[in-house]
Amino acid sequence: MKILALLLAAIAGTATAADCGPDKLNTERTIVLKREGAAYGTQQHSALPLADKEVVLTFDDGPSPENTPLVLKALADQCARATFFMEGRNLRQSPDLARRVVSEGHSAGIHSDTHPHLPTLSPEQQLDDLALSRAAYKAVFGVETPAYRFPFLEETPIMLAALKQANITVASIDMAINDWIPEDTTEVLAQRLNESLDKAGRGIILMHDANGPTAKALPTLLKVLKHKGYKVVHLEWEKAQ
């Protein structure tokens, strides 16, 4: 029985390797970032150390019970890894799904607690929102959050200072596909991605795993990346001390 188990394990390993062959998009490499108050994404900050035609896949607003599993399947089918920026309220509602995201090899950060327009809030309210989202992350994953993306990319001085003090990376973006319109089709999203890639050439791509059209379109979007010769770089962070 022990020999049989070893043979089955070997076959499973071979199948996995075959599934991630050259016909798939795959994950080219992983960058492990320090847990520090750095900030990346050329729309607002410095660029990540990426070569031409290297992209980082990121998703906001989940986890979504309806759509995140579809996103995970599309990524698994192409052996591509991504970073998910999760809202605190969704972490509290779907903790098992959040843990599934990480268990499948992806990384996770936070995207506020309730996705407010932070500049309209008082400093105390902004910090309260951050504290709630950090607490939700720690309750689900058992560690401090390594990264934060501002809702609407609306940064504020009080939040930037708090994140830097907490050694939390600020993740802005380099390009997006503006995928929050319910009527968007797969063709429209693919065209937006194609145009963004041609303009930027590399960088962090913003998408939304909570958005139904995005989840539906993702298999096509990943094929666009493959067809255009782009390589996926995965972001991870050093383990918390």
Side-chain angles (χ1 to χ4, degrees):
M1 291 297 292
K2 186 174 182 180
I3 294 174
L4 177 59
L6 290 172
L7 286 172
L8 290 173
I11 292 170
T14 302
T16 300
D19 289 343
C20 293
D23 60 315
K24 301 297 178 70
L25 178 59
N26 289 303
T27 301
E28 182 74 7
R29 64 189 180 99
T30 298
I31 296 175
V32 180
L33 297 173
K34 294 181 179 180
R35 283 183 174 257
E36 59 182 2
Y40 298 102
T42 56
Q43 282 205 13
Q44 294 166 296
H45 299 289
S46 301
L48 281 168
L50 300 174
D52 286 341
K53 290 204 166 185
E54 285 189 337
V55 293
V56 174
L57 306 177
T58 70
F59 295 89
D60 284 5
D61 293 349
S64 160
E66 296 78 19
N67 299 308
T68 301
L70 298 177
V71 169
L72 291 175
K73 182 181 186 306
L75 292 170
D77 286 345
Q78 287 296 321
C79 305
R81 294 184 179 182
T83 302
F84 290 74
F85 291 92
M86 304 178 178
E87 295 179 17
R89 59 185 172 185
N90 293 334
L91 283 167
R92 290 188 290 273
Q93 292 174 0
S94 303
D96 290 340
L97 179 55
R99 284 188 282 265
R100 176 187 164 188
V101 169
V102 172
S103 74
E104 293 190 13
H106 308 290
S107 51
I110 51 177
H111 187 47
S112 81
D113 196 63
T114 60
H115 210 282
H117 286 281
L118 289 170
T120 69
L121 304 182
S122 70
E124 292 77 13
Q125 289 172 321
Q126 294 180 47
L127 294 176
D128 284 346
D129 185 89
L130 176 60
L132 287 170
S133 59
R134 290 182 65 188
Y137 187 99
K138 189 167 186 178
V140 170
F141 299 113
V143 297
E144 294 289 345
T145 184
Y148 182 95
R149 175 172 285 152
F150 280 85
F152 308 104
L153 301 181
E154 294 176 339
E155 299 183 351
T156 67
I158 187 72
M159 285 287 290
L160 287 169
L163 292 164
K164 188 173 184 64
Q165 185 177 24
N167 291 322
I168 296 174
T169 300
V170 173
S172 186
I173 69 171
D174 296 287
M175 65 185 99
I177 60 173
N178 300 328
D179 56 329
W180 54 79
I181 303 170
E183 293 76 24
D184 277 342
T185 64
T186 294
E187 291 74 20
V188 166
L189 293 175
Q191 181 60 30
R192 288 186 195 148
L193 175 61
N194 188 68
E195 292 171 356
S196 291
L197 292 169
D198 288 345
K199 182 178 180 180
R202 73 181 80 179
I204 304 167
I205 304 175
L206 167 62
M207 295 176 281
H208 294 81
D209 62 311
N211 186 43
T214 304
K216 180 180 178 181
L218 192 57
T220 297
L221 300 180
L222 297 178
K223 289 177 182 177
V224 168
L225 291 171
K226 174 69 175 174
H227 177 74
K228 293 176 73 70
Y230 278 80
K231 306 293 185 182
V232 172
V233 175
H234 184 220
L235 292 186
E236 292 183 354
W237 282 262
E238 292 178 341
K239 294 187 181 299
Q241 299 298 318

